[in-house]
Each structure stands twice: as C-alpha cells, then as structure tokens.
Amino acid sequence: MKRKCSIPTPLGNMDAVAEQGALWGLWFAGQRYQPEISVDWVEDPDHPLFAALRGQLDAYFAGKLRAFDLPIAVEGTPFRMAVWALLRNIPAGTTTTYGTLAVQLAGGRGGRVPSAQAVGGAVGHNPLTIIVPCHRVVGANGSLTGYAGGLDRKAALLALEGVENLRQGV
C-alpha cells in the first residue's frame, strides 16, 4: 500500500509517496512528469519515513545537509535506473552535464554512448526530486536547462549548494 503526504518547503509544497517503508516518489506539487496521486493511496503525514524526510529536507534547506540518507525504492527502465544511479554520485555543490553522463553510461552499454537528449529524458523523469539530485545536471555550456520542477527552483537549489557562475538556459 502506498502512503502519501504533502511537505512544505521554501520552494513550494512537495508531494511524497512511500511504499513498504521506502520513499517511492518526491516531487514539487504539479511538477512535470509527476504521476497522478491516486485516491487509493493513504494520507499518512505522521509515518516515520515522512517524519525523517521532513527533518532531512529542513536540514538541507538550512544548508546543514549535503546528502540524504533515506531508504528509497525507485522504479524505472534499466536505462533510467542507470542514469538515476549516476545522479546519486554527483556531489553537492558541483554540476555535471548531460553529455558527461552519456559518456559515463557508455561503459555499461558496450561502449555505445547514448544521446545527451536520451539522458535528459531520463533525468527529467527522476521520481525523487532533490533526493536524487537531478538539479545538478546542466547544459554543455553550463546553462540551466531541463528541470521538471522549473528553472527557478533549479537555480535556487544550486545556489543553496554554493554553485556559482551558472547561465540561464536558452
């Protein structure tokens, strides 16, 4: 059974979904690619996992947490899962590009480098916004591009982490 709750943050409310004691989804309310929240999912804001998530989000937005430590259970295609695994290795305060991620993926694909656009599609469908740090991926020229939660939020998250000298997307 999936459990859900809404969590207020400085960048707007977030919808959280958990299943079997693991975080299954976290999106800014109304974020692009967010699945429909089912009426069958149980509203359970007091669930211990959501309490831990609120605490870690509060610490992150206060600048006191750089990496999250929560049980997660993401679901996706093997390609998306590989991209999301790479995202989890991008340290706070740094960025990488879609093209760099594509080259990193080539090792697990027999040397075939997927397109940066394919990587961008997988990044955009990340089900755990902030937890799996898709906001740390920028365009080849360092521009802010492609954030399902909105470019203003992406810029705010990167600024919170101390990333400077970013260009607005074209």
Side-chain angles (χ1 to χ4, degrees):
M1 163 182 36
K2 287 189 173 76
R3 300 175 184 282
K4 65 181 179 177
C5 79
S6 179
I7 298 174
T9 76
L11 297 180
N13 286 343
M14 299 190 82
D15 296 321
V17 178
E19 185 174 42
Q20 297 180 346
L23 194 59
W24 182 82
L26 180 67
W27 307 269
F28 286 105
Q31 177 175 317
R32 194 171 5 145
Y33 309 124
Q34 176 182 356
E36 283 190 40
I37 303 294
S38 173
V39 295
D40 296 333
W41 298 350
V42 175
E43 185 73 32
D44 190 2
D46 297 324
H47 189 279
L49 180 60
F50 295 145
L53 174 60
R54 276 191 299 276
Q56 289 190 27
L57 283 170
D58 287 348
Y60 172 79
F61 282 109
K64 297 177 182 174
L65 181 77
R66 305 283 280 175
F68 291 84
D69 182 24
L70 297 163
I72 63 171
V74 295
E75 297 174 5
T77 65
F79 179 75
R80 286 183 179 176
M81 296 289 284
V83 171
W84 300 337
L86 288 177
L87 295 178
R88 293 197 65 173
N89 293 322
I90 305 168
T94 66
T95 61
T96 192
T97 66
Y98 298 97
T100 299
L101 291 174
V103 170
Q104 289 174 345
L105 285 167
R109 299 171 45 89
R112 291 188 343 257
V113 178
S115 72
Q117 291 82 2
V119 171
V123 170
H125 285 84
N126 168 23
L128 291 171
T129 298
I130 301 177
I131 306 296
V132 175
C134 55
H135 60 279
R136 296 178 187 154
V137 184
V138 298
N141 64 357
S143 64
L144 292 180
T145 60
Y147 189 62
L151 291 182
D152 289 347
R153 285 185 178 128
K154 183 173 188 166
L157 292 169
L158 290 171
L160 176 70
E161 294 180 2
V163 175
E164 299 176 0
N165 302 322
L166 294 169
R167 300 177 51 197
Q168 289 298 320
V170 187

